[in-house]
Amino acid sequence: MVASDLREHQPHGCASPEGEGSLEADSNKDPIHSNESTPLNSTNNDLQVHVAETRGAEPEPPADESQAMLSGQHESPQVKLYWRRFVVLTVFSLYSLVNAFQWIQYSIITNIFTHFYQVTNDKIDWLSVVYMVAYVPLIFPATWLLDTKGLRITALLGAGLNCAGAWIRCASIRPDLFAVTAVAQTVAAVSQIFILGLPSRIAAVWFGPKEVSTACSVMVLGNQLGVAIGFLLPPVLVPNTQDDLELMGHNIGIMFYGTAAVATLLFVMTIFVFQEKPPLPPSQSQAVLPAWTPEGYSYRQSMKNLFKNIPFVLLIISYGIMTGAFYSLSTLLNQMIMTHYADEEVNAGRIGLTLVIAGMVGSVICGLWLDYTKTFKQTTVAVYVLSFIGMVVFTFTLNLDNIYIIFGTGGILGFFMTGYLPVGFEFGVEITYPEPEGTSSGILNACAQLFGIVFTLIQGSLTTNYSPLVGNIFLCAWIFLGIILTALIRSELKRHNVNMGIMKNGGQSVVLIESPQEPHANGIVHSSTDTSRETSI
């Protein structure tokens, strides 16, 4: 049931949202001091919601509104779900897939590329690490672009640069052109800056409250499917023909040109099917957000708000540890397997595939679970603990001379480590609402990339100089620290409480007002009162 009346007191510089789903600004009445309503305080830190009983007289609408509606009757924001959301989700997931494939395609056959280009292992490792290095300094201008120029422009940049990197790579199919393939990988790395932070934003803008976490997990799944294909196809397409360098180059060319063709098709599809947003918002939490304009929105203020949010800062670090560990593990998997199982390039790829496919299943299950229960913190802690257990088991079974055990332990590890990704995204959106989803996701990814760089370099050095066991124990210690940090996060489901608060107050008027405790920023009210807590089952 939706509320019968929803209004927003708009700050200066923030236009009212357009279309049928817009909120009505009431500048002639002060809801706090009105004698006609009794406010029931129901704050959630960033938004202060006052509920006024509709039984009895309601405040008179402004003169310009009285012509548009019957006296005493007000429309709540209209929400609607469009089928086009599935098209947007599919196209985004596919070009995210291609970008992830380009990230991992070198690392899984490191020994082949080192032979073809006549370079050392660490040079091939850097073709993976460059994805992480590029992300950290460029994420801030990328999130600024997303927040100020919009979703469509950002998506086109991601798909376009992804396509460009794939075609530049096609010019590097010669043993003396390693520098060209490094440039191509750098361009692809820049494109992922406009990709990794979009799932939570697309899910929030296009999907309803009962499907938003699932949609986010499906888009994360698309990226992980690209990693899975990156583990599977390169060892098959580029077999180890060390005695025939020309044949090796031919096989590499098949892989590079095929990737470029698919990336081009997806770029064209992005141009035609990607829209900024639907005509009407999909949820009440989107409907109550002001229509930000360049005059009313401050990217710097948004960043300050996020970094003053202590629970989010703890989530940044814990998310960075878990995801960085996954990046490091994926990059070095070939080297770890080859240390204990010689001439098993194909099985190394299959183990990586098992790890990622299990993770895809974990992502979807976690997304469905969050949509059903909204138990974000409990789920996050549980997945973190199970990931730690999986990492310990994987570490101490790697050298048992039974590669089939590694398939099983790798699958368990992947299920929980990859399943954590959408959980972290959605948890971040919940505790930072109403700050832009792309900004919070971008910061989480930036920290993940930073940890990924450090972990990959340190674990790679430990694996080379000592053994995979030492490198994996290093990751286990950090993941244990992540469990402690996650347990310290105070859970406030702000977006969920806005949706539920509006739905539960049918027959009542819900008014969003400015908080007297703190000045507004970016057209959004901030309050120091803390009343929202995570729901549990």
Side-chain angles (χ1 to χ4, degrees):
M1 184 182 297
V2 296
S4 60
D5 179 29
L6 181 62
R7 296 188 199 168
E8 182 170 348
H9 183 79
Q10 295 276 52
H12 179 69
C14 289
S16 177
E18 299 176 358
E20 296 177 313
S22 63
L23 305 179
E24 301 162 318
D26 189 348
S27 58
N28 297 338
K29 294 270 182 192
D30 182 357
I32 299 180
H33 299 97
S34 172
N35 294 326
E36 300 172 344
S37 64
T38 303
L40 302 176
N41 232 351
S42 178
T43 64
N44 63 13
N45 248 12
D46 290 313
L47 296 176
Q48 188 168 0
V49 180
H50 286 256
V51 181
E53 295 286 351
T54 57
R55 291 187 293 273
E58 286 194 349
E60 289 292 325
D64 57 348
E65 290 184 2
S66 62
Q67 302 300 322
M69 59 184 72
L70 297 176
S71 177
Q73 301 293 323
H74 304 292
E75 294 183 359
S76 63
Q78 298 185 32
V79 298
K80 183 177 180 180
L81 297 177
Y82 295 86
W83 277 101
R84 191 183 186 97
R85 69 191 189 277
F86 296 113
V87 179
V88 172
L89 180 147
T90 301
V91 172
F92 172 80
S93 298
L94 288 175
Y95 77 72
S96 178
L97 179 156
V98 173
N99 184 259
F101 174 82
Q102 294 188 80
W103 166 58
I104 204 65
Q105 65 181 337
Y106 292 99
S107 296
I108 198 58
I109 49 174
T110 298
N111 56 321
I112 293 175
F113 276 108
T114 54
H115 180 73
F116 182 75
Y117 286 116
Q118 297 299 302
V119 294
T120 56
N121 280 353
D122 64 303
K123 298 293 192 302
I124 302 300
D125 288 346
W126 270 102
L127 294 179
S128 174
V129 173
V130 70
Y131 262 62
M132 309 171 204
V133 172
Y135 198 95
V136 176
L138 295 179
I139 185 55
F140 297 105
T143 53
W144 172 85
L145 186 74
L146 174 62
D147 293 341
T148 57
K149 301 301 180 182
L151 193 58
R152 175 174 165 81
I153 294 297
T154 307
L156 288 174
L157 276 172
L161 289 171
N162 192 47
C163 178
W167 281 109
I168 296 172
R169 199 185 318 273
C170 294
S172 68
I173 311 169
R174 225 171 61 194
D176 60 333
L177 293 178
F178 178 78
V180 176
T181 212
V183 170
Q185 191 74 340
T186 302
V187 173
V190 173
S191 75
Q192 56 116 25
I193 297 165
F194 304 102
I195 296 174
L196 290 186
L198 291 191
S200 57
R201 177 66 169 266
I202 295 173
V205 170
W206 282 92
F207 289 84
K210 293 184 178 180
E211 58 188 14
V212 62
S213 295
T214 304
C216 181
S217 68
V218 169
M219 284 180 276
V220 172
L221 181 150
N223 191 269
Q224 295 308 309
L225 181 58
V227 177
I229 296 174
F231 280 128
L232 178 65
L233 282 186
V236 175
L237 295 176
V238 190
N240 192 357
T241 57
Q242 292 192 13
D243 298 330
D244 193 340
L245 207 61
E246 184 177 346
L247 178 59
M248 184 180 290
H250 172 76
N251 293 331
I252 291 173
I254 291 175
M255 181 171 68
F256 285 176
Y257 277 103
T259 304
V262 175
T264 302
L265 175 62
L266 291 171
F267 177 51
V268 173
M269 292 177 66
T270 304
I271 293 173
F272 287 103
V273 306
F274 228 94
Q275 287 186 342
E276 179 66 29
K277 61 182 178 179
L280 293 176
S283 64
Q284 298 288 0
S285 60
Q286 284 292 304
V288 301
L289 292 177
W292 289 345
T293 62
E295 294 81 16
Y297 172 72
S298 168
Y299 177 75
R300 186 170 67 175
Q301 183 61 50
S302 181
M303 296 297 295
K304 287 182 179 178
N305 294 339
L306 290 173
F307 282 105
K308 288 193 297 184
N309 186 330
I310 300 302
F312 182 63
V313 172
L314 292 173
L315 181 64
I316 291 172
I317 300 172
S318 60
Y319 183 90
I321 291 172
M322 175 67 80
T323 312
F326 173 75
Y327 290 159
S328 180
L329 188 70
S330 300
T331 300
L332 301 171
L333 183 62
N334 174 269
Q335 296 177 41
M336 285 189 280
I337 300 299
M338 297 300 292
T339 299
H340 296 290
Y341 305 93
D343 301 321
E344 291 285 0
E345 295 93 348
V346 173
N347 272 331
R350 289 171 180 168
I351 291 171
L353 176 66
T354 302
L355 186 148
V356 177
I357 288 180
M360 290 161 54
V361 176
S363 293
V364 173
I365 290 176
C366 287
L368 291 169
W369 175 257
L370 289 180
D371 277 331
Y372 178 71
T373 66
K374 301 300 180 183
T375 54
F376 286 84
K377 179 174 179 179
Q378 294 96 318
T379 303
T380 304
V381 173
V383 171
Y384 224 116
V385 170
L386 292 169
S387 296
F388 172 74
I389 295 172
M391 188 67 203
V392 171
V393 173
F394 177 83
T395 298
F396 290 99
T397 58
L398 187 61
N399 61 349
L400 294 182
D401 294 327
N402 189 335
I403 198 167
Y404 296 105
I405 292 179
I406 310 306
F407 276 93
T409 57
I412 295 171
L413 180 60
F415 182 92
F416 294 110
M417 288 189 80
T418 309
Y420 173 82
L421 301 182
V423 175
F425 271 160
E426 287 297 285
F427 195 18
V429 171
E430 288 288 342
I431 63 179
T432 61
Y433 178 87
E435 299 299 337
E437 301 86 359
T439 305
S440 61
S441 298
I443 293 173
L444 289 175
N445 274 321
C447 191
Q449 306 291 348
L450 187 60
F451 272 98
I453 295 168
V454 175
F455 286 172
T456 301
L457 296 177
I458 295 178
Q459 188 188 10
S461 176
L462 293 174
T463 299
T464 301
N465 297 327
Y466 298 98
S467 70
L469 177 66
V470 177
N472 286 332
I473 290 175
F474 166 78
L475 288 187
C476 289
W478 277 95
I479 294 174
F480 183 77
L481 174 61
I483 294 174
I484 298 173
L485 295 176
T486 303
L488 295 175
I489 297 174
R490 185 180 63 183
S491 176
E492 302 175 47
L493 306 187
K494 301 175 183 179
R495 180 179 66 179
H496 173 65
N497 286 336
V498 168
N499 284 326
M500 295 305 296
I502 292 173
M503 294 177 68
K504 287 181 178 179
N505 286 292
Q508 294 180 328
S509 172
V510 180
V511 183
L512 297 180
I513 66 169
E514 290 187 28
S515 167
Q517 288 94 341
E518 225 177 283
H520 63 77
N522 295 336
I524 298 176
V525 179
H526 290 268
S527 168
S528 59
T529 307
D530 175 21
T531 61
S532 64
R533 285 290 182 269
E534 179 169 327
T535 57
S536 61
I537 59 172

PDB file of all heavy atoms in Angstrom, residues 24 29 52 89 118 128 157 184 190 202 214 224 237 271 302 318 386 424 428 436 457 474 482 536:
ATOM      1  N   GLU A  24       5.754  16.954  -5.226  1.00  0.00           N
ATOM      2  CA  GLU A  24       5.218  18.299  -5.178  1.00  0.00           C
ATOM      3  C   GLU A  24       5.877  19.067  -4.050  1.00  0.00           C
ATOM      4  O   GLU A  24       5.978  18.586  -2.931  1.00  0.00           O
ATOM      5  CB  GLU A  24       3.706  18.231  -4.965  1.00  0.00           C
ATOM      6  CG  GLU A  24       2.998  17.462  -6.075  1.00  0.00           C
ATOM      7  CD  GLU A  24       1.616  17.036  -5.659  1.00  0.00           C
ATOM      8  OE1 GLU A  24       1.467  16.604  -4.514  1.00  0.00           O
ATOM      9  OE2 GLU A  24       0.723  17.153  -6.460  1.00  0.00           O
ATOM     10  N   LYS A  29       3.755  25.988   3.441  1.00  0.00           N
ATOM     11  CA  LYS A  29       3.428  25.424   4.751  1.00  0.00           C
ATOM     12  C   LYS A  29       4.694  24.934   5.438  1.00  0.00           C
ATOM     13  O   LYS A  29       5.583  24.427   4.801  1.00  0.00           O
ATOM     14  CB  LYS A  29       2.452  24.257   4.590  1.00  0.00           C
ATOM     15  CG  LYS A  29       1.076  24.680   4.072  1.00  0.00           C
ATOM     16  CD  LYS A  29       0.157  25.024   5.190  1.00  0.00           C
ATOM     17  CE  LYS A  29      -1.243  25.414   4.692  1.00  0.00           C
ATOM     18  NZ  LYS A  29      -2.031  26.012   5.758  1.00  0.00           N
ATOM     19  N   ALA A  52       1.910  12.430   8.854  1.00  0.00           N
ATOM     20  CA  ALA A  52       0.757  13.188   9.325  1.00  0.00           C
ATOM     21  C   ALA A  52      -0.503  12.399   9.049  1.00  0.00           C
ATOM     22  O   ALA A  52      -0.694  11.921   7.936  1.00  0.00           O
ATOM     23  CB  ALA A  52       0.686  14.553   8.630  1.00  0.00           C
ATOM     24  N   LEU A  89      19.921  -4.372 -18.741  1.00  0.00           N
ATOM     25  CA  LEU A  89      20.703  -5.299 -17.915  1.00  0.00           C
ATOM     26  C   LEU A  89      21.505  -6.272 -18.777  1.00  0.00           C
ATOM     27  O   LEU A  89      22.688  -6.521 -18.520  1.00  0.00           O
ATOM     28  CB  LEU A  89      19.763  -6.062 -16.975  1.00  0.00           C
ATOM     29  CG  LEU A  89      20.377  -7.094 -16.028  1.00  0.00           C
ATOM     30  CD1 LEU A  89      19.592  -7.143 -14.724  1.00  0.00           C
ATOM     31  CD2 LEU A  89      20.373  -8.497 -16.649  1.00  0.00           C
ATOM     32  N   GLN A 118      58.652 -13.260 -25.374  1.00  0.00           N
ATOM     33  CA  GLN A 118      59.998 -13.298 -24.810  1.00  0.00           C
ATOM     34  C   GLN A 118      60.163 -12.321 -23.644  1.00  0.00           C
ATOM     35  O   GLN A 118      61.096 -11.501 -23.605  1.00  0.00           O
ATOM     36  CB  GLN A 118      61.038 -13.008 -25.898  1.00  0.00           C
ATOM     37  CG  GLN A 118      61.074 -14.046 -27.016  1.00  0.00           C
ATOM     38  CD  GLN A 118      61.431 -15.449 -26.510  1.00  0.00           C
ATOM     39  OE1 GLN A 118      62.482 -15.645 -25.910  1.00  0.00           O
ATOM     40  NE2 GLN A 118      60.548 -16.413 -26.751  1.00  0.00           N
ATOM     41  N   SER A 128      47.648  -7.815 -16.062  1.00  0.00           N
ATOM     42  CA  SER A 128      46.470  -7.921 -15.200  1.00  0.00           C
ATOM     43  C   SER A 128      46.445  -6.796 -14.169  1.00  0.00           C
ATOM     44  O   SER A 128      45.404  -6.173 -13.933  1.00  0.00           O
ATOM     45  CB  SER A 128      46.457  -9.272 -14.489  1.00  0.00           C
ATOM     46  OG  SER A 128      45.428  -9.357 -13.555  1.00  0.00           O
ATOM     47  N   LEU A 157      30.938   5.301 -22.896  1.00  0.00           N
ATOM     48  CA  LEU A 157      32.392   5.363 -22.745  1.00  0.00           C
ATOM     49  C   LEU A 157      32.958   3.983 -22.389  1.00  0.00           C
ATOM     50  O   LEU A 157      33.983   3.566 -22.931  1.00  0.00           O
ATOM     51  CB  LEU A 157      32.768   6.372 -21.659  1.00  0.00           C
ATOM     52  CG  LEU A 157      32.857   7.835 -22.088  1.00  0.00           C
ATOM     53  CD1 LEU A 157      33.035   8.731 -20.872  1.00  0.00           C
ATOM     54  CD2 LEU A 157      33.992   8.041 -23.077  1.00  0.00           C
ATOM     55  N   ALA A 184      47.116  -1.718 -25.496  1.00  0.00           N
ATOM     56  CA  ALA A 184      45.750  -2.204 -25.656  1.00  0.00           C
ATOM     57  C   ALA A 184      45.136  -2.582 -24.313  1.00  0.00           C
ATOM     58  O   ALA A 184      43.972  -2.260 -24.028  1.00  0.00           O
ATOM     59  CB  ALA A 184      45.737  -3.403 -26.602  1.00  0.00           C
ATOM     60  N   VAL A 190      41.158   1.185 -18.716  1.00  0.00           N
ATOM     61  CA  VAL A 190      40.445   2.453 -18.535  1.00  0.00           C
ATOM     62  C   VAL A 190      38.948   2.247 -18.746  1.00  0.00           C
ATOM     63  O   VAL A 190      38.115   2.837 -18.040  1.00  0.00           O
ATOM     64  CB  VAL A 190      41.002   3.530 -19.490  1.00  0.00           C
ATOM     65  CG1 VAL A 190      40.155   4.796 -19.430  1.00  0.00           C
ATOM     66  CG2 VAL A 190      42.454   3.847 -19.148  1.00  0.00           C
ATOM     67  N   ILE A 202      22.565   1.080 -12.064  1.00  0.00           N
ATOM     68  CA  ILE A 202      21.558   0.595 -13.012  1.00  0.00           C
ATOM     69  C   ILE A 202      20.426  -0.104 -12.269  1.00  0.00           C
ATOM     70  O   ILE A 202      19.243   0.097 -12.573  1.00  0.00           O
ATOM     71  CB  ILE A 202      22.196  -0.354 -14.045  1.00  0.00           C
ATOM     72  CG1 ILE A 202      23.206   0.416 -14.915  1.00  0.00           C
ATOM     73  CG2 ILE A 202      21.131  -0.994 -14.932  1.00  0.00           C
ATOM     74  CD1 ILE A 202      24.003  -0.476 -15.844  1.00  0.00           C
ATOM     75  N   THR A 214      18.863  -8.549  -6.658  1.00  0.00           N
ATOM     76  CA  THR A 214      19.026  -9.614  -7.648  1.00  0.00           C
ATOM     77  C   THR A 214      19.573  -9.056  -8.951  1.00  0.00           C
ATOM     78  O   THR A 214      20.460  -9.658  -9.574  1.00  0.00           O
ATOM     79  CB  THR A 214      17.679 -10.313  -7.904  1.00  0.00           C
ATOM     80  OG1 THR A 214      17.161 -10.806  -6.664  1.00  0.00           O
ATOM     81  CG2 THR A 214      17.843 -11.475  -8.871  1.00  0.00           C
ATOM     82  N   GLN A 224      31.677 -11.716 -13.885  1.00  0.00           N
ATOM     83  CA  GLN A 224      32.330 -12.939 -13.462  1.00  0.00           C
ATOM     84  C   GLN A 224      32.268 -14.027 -14.535  1.00  0.00           C
ATOM     85  O   GLN A 224      33.167 -14.853 -14.644  1.00  0.00           O
ATOM     86  CB  GLN A 224      31.696 -13.445 -12.164  1.00  0.00           C
ATOM     87  CG  GLN A 224      31.900 -12.509 -10.989  1.00  0.00           C
ATOM     88  CD  GLN A 224      33.358 -12.139 -10.808  1.00  0.00           C
ATOM     89  OE1 GLN A 224      34.226 -12.997 -10.756  1.00  0.00           O
ATOM     90  NE2 GLN A 224      33.638 -10.840 -10.707  1.00  0.00           N
ATOM     91  N   LEU A 237      41.963 -22.126 -27.110  1.00  0.00           N
ATOM     92  CA  LEU A 237      42.239 -21.423 -28.367  1.00  0.00           C
ATOM     93  C   LEU A 237      43.732 -21.295 -28.640  1.00  0.00           C
ATOM     94  O   LEU A 237      44.157 -21.254 -29.810  1.00  0.00           O
ATOM     95  CB  LEU A 237      41.597 -20.028 -28.339  1.00  0.00           C
ATOM     96  CG  LEU A 237      40.070 -19.970 -28.279  1.00  0.00           C
ATOM     97  CD1 LEU A 237      39.600 -18.528 -28.147  1.00  0.00           C
ATOM     98  CD2 LEU A 237      39.463 -20.607 -29.524  1.00  0.00           C
ATOM     99  N   ILE A 271      24.688   1.748 -27.998  1.00  0.00           N
ATOM    100  CA  ILE A 271      24.250   3.020 -28.574  1.00  0.00           C
ATOM    101  C   ILE A 271      22.736   3.047 -28.747  1.00  0.00           C
ATOM    102  O   ILE A 271      22.070   4.058 -28.462  1.00  0.00           O
ATOM    103  CB  ILE A 271      24.944   3.260 -29.936  1.00  0.00           C
ATOM    104  CG1 ILE A 271      26.450   3.470 -29.737  1.00  0.00           C
ATOM    105  CG2 ILE A 271      24.321   4.451 -30.656  1.00  0.00           C
ATOM    106  CD1 ILE A 271      27.237   3.547 -31.035  1.00  0.00           C
ATOM    107  N   SER A 302      29.310  15.350  -1.754  1.00  0.00           N
ATOM    108  CA  SER A 302      28.908  13.943  -1.717  1.00  0.00           C
ATOM    109  C   SER A 302      30.058  13.067  -1.225  1.00  0.00           C
ATOM    110  O   SER A 302      29.855  12.158  -0.408  1.00  0.00           O
ATOM    111  CB  SER A 302      28.448  13.487  -3.110  1.00  0.00           C
ATOM    112  OG  SER A 302      28.026  12.151  -3.096  1.00  0.00           O
ATOM    113  N   SER A 318      36.965  -3.508   4.318  1.00  0.00           N
ATOM    114  CA  SER A 318      36.675  -4.946   4.295  1.00  0.00           C
ATOM    115  C   SER A 318      36.349  -5.429   2.889  1.00  0.00           C
ATOM    116  O   SER A 318      36.757  -6.524   2.490  1.00  0.00           O
ATOM    117  CB  SER A 318      35.522  -5.263   5.251  1.00  0.00           C
ATOM    118  OG  SER A 318      34.341  -4.574   4.889  1.00  0.00           O
ATOM    119  N   LEU A 386      32.687 -17.690   5.740  1.00  0.00           N
ATOM    120  CA  LEU A 386      32.755 -18.880   4.899  1.00  0.00           C
ATOM    121  C   LEU A 386      33.840 -18.742   3.825  1.00  0.00           C
ATOM    122  O   LEU A 386      34.469 -19.729   3.436  1.00  0.00           O
ATOM    123  CB  LEU A 386      31.394 -19.140   4.264  1.00  0.00           C
ATOM    124  CG  LEU A 386      30.305 -19.560   5.270  1.00  0.00           C
ATOM    125  CD1 LEU A 386      28.931 -19.541   4.609  1.00  0.00           C
ATOM    126  CD2 LEU A 386      30.609 -20.945   5.843  1.00  0.00           C
ATOM    127  N   GLY A 424      28.392  -6.756  -1.027  1.00  0.00           N
ATOM    128  CA  GLY A 424      29.098  -5.531  -0.637  1.00  0.00           C
ATOM    129  C   GLY A 424      28.560  -4.308  -1.337  1.00  0.00           C
ATOM    130  O   GLY A 424      28.389  -3.240  -0.727  1.00  0.00           O
ATOM    131  N   GLY A 428      26.625  -1.302   0.667  1.00  0.00           N
ATOM    132  CA  GLY A 428      27.138   0.059   0.569  1.00  0.00           C
ATOM    133  C   GLY A 428      26.067   1.049   0.167  1.00  0.00           C
ATOM    134  O   GLY A 428      25.982   2.167   0.708  1.00  0.00           O
ATOM    135  N   PRO A 436      24.692   9.142  -4.324  1.00  0.00           N
ATOM    136  CA  PRO A 436      24.611   8.400  -5.599  1.00  0.00           C
ATOM    137  C   PRO A 436      25.233   7.015  -5.511  1.00  0.00           C
ATOM    138  O   PRO A 436      26.327   6.838  -4.971  1.00  0.00           O
ATOM    139  CB  PRO A 436      25.384   9.299  -6.576  1.00  0.00           C
ATOM    140  CG  PRO A 436      25.303  10.665  -5.991  1.00  0.00           C
ATOM    141  CD  PRO A 436      25.307  10.467  -4.498  1.00  0.00           C
ATOM    142  N   LEU A 457      51.093  -8.243  -6.100  1.00  0.00           N
ATOM    143  CA  LEU A 457      52.550  -8.083  -6.105  1.00  0.00           C
ATOM    144  C   LEU A 457      53.208  -8.833  -4.952  1.00  0.00           C
ATOM    145  O   LEU A 457      54.221  -9.522  -5.134  1.00  0.00           O
ATOM    146  CB  LEU A 457      52.911  -6.596  -6.061  1.00  0.00           C
ATOM    147  CG  LEU A 457      52.477  -5.763  -7.283  1.00  0.00           C
ATOM    148  CD1 LEU A 457      52.839  -4.301  -7.083  1.00  0.00           C
ATOM    149  CD2 LEU A 457      53.117  -6.304  -8.552  1.00  0.00           C
ATOM    150  N   PHE A 474      49.365 -15.616   3.500  1.00  0.00           N
ATOM    151  CA  PHE A 474      49.327 -14.146   3.530  1.00  0.00           C
ATOM    152  C   PHE A 474      47.899 -13.644   3.290  1.00  0.00           C
ATOM    153  O   PHE A 474      47.405 -12.762   4.010  1.00  0.00           O
ATOM    154  CB  PHE A 474      50.298 -13.609   2.474  1.00  0.00           C
ATOM    155  CG  PHE A 474      50.142 -12.153   2.164  1.00  0.00           C
ATOM    156  CD1 PHE A 474      50.652 -11.179   3.017  1.00  0.00           C
ATOM    157  CD2 PHE A 474      49.485 -11.740   1.007  1.00  0.00           C
ATOM    158  CE1 PHE A 474      50.512  -9.827   2.718  1.00  0.00           C
ATOM    159  CE2 PHE A 474      49.341 -10.397   0.705  1.00  0.00           C
ATOM    160  CZ  PHE A 474      49.853  -9.437   1.563  1.00  0.00           C
ATOM    161  N   GLY A 482      39.533  -8.821   7.716  1.00  0.00           N
ATOM    162  CA  GLY A 482      38.297  -8.326   7.108  1.00  0.00           C
ATOM    163  C   GLY A 482      37.062  -8.775   7.868  1.00  0.00           C
ATOM    164  O   GLY A 482      36.070  -8.030   7.943  1.00  0.00           O
ATOM    165  N   SER A 536      15.768  -8.171  10.620  1.00  0.00           N
ATOM    166  CA  SER A 536      16.291  -9.529  10.719  1.00  0.00           C
ATOM    167  C   SER A 536      15.160 -10.521  10.572  1.00  0.00           C
ATOM    168  O   SER A 536      13.990 -10.161  10.644  1.00  0.00           O
ATOM    169  CB  SER A 536      17.006  -9.739  12.054  1.00  0.00           C
ATOM    170  OG  SER A 536      16.105  -9.542  13.117  1.00  0.00           O
TER     171      SER A 536
END
